Amino acid sequence: MVCFGDNLNYLPMFEVADEKYAVKNAHEIVLNIADKIIECNNNNGVARYLKSVLQG
């Protein structure tokens, strides 16, 4: 399971996820737990990441 998050309410999902992505403007704790940090949510970080993965 892959998950994306930016705040503390995502921590339970991060605990069970295989891959954890935090946006640049996420809470510091989320940033420290994430496997990778992607573009901030104000710049459509999740959508941009998914587009890059799906386009190969």
Side-chain angles (χ1 to χ4, degrees), residues 3 7 12 22:
C3 71
N7 214 327

Side-chain angles (χ1 to χ4, degrees), residues 5-56:
D6 67 348
N7 214 327
L8 300 177
N9 60 313
Y10 289 94
L11 292 179
M13 189 168 54
F14 269 37
E15 289 179 16
V16 298
D18 298 310
E19 296 180 38
K20 303 169 278 294
Y21 296 92
V23 291
K24 284 183 183 179
N25 58 325
H27 189 283
E28 184 176 350
I29 292 173
V30 176
L31 290 169
N32 289 328
I33 295 172
D35 296 321
K36 186 173 180 181
I37 299 170
I38 60 174
E39 186 63 47
C40 71
N41 57 1
N42 296 331
N43 290 332
N44 301 313
V46 174
R48 289 174 188 255
Y49 175 79
L50 291 173
K51 183 177 178 182
S52 72
V53 170
L54 295 173
Q55 288 182 341

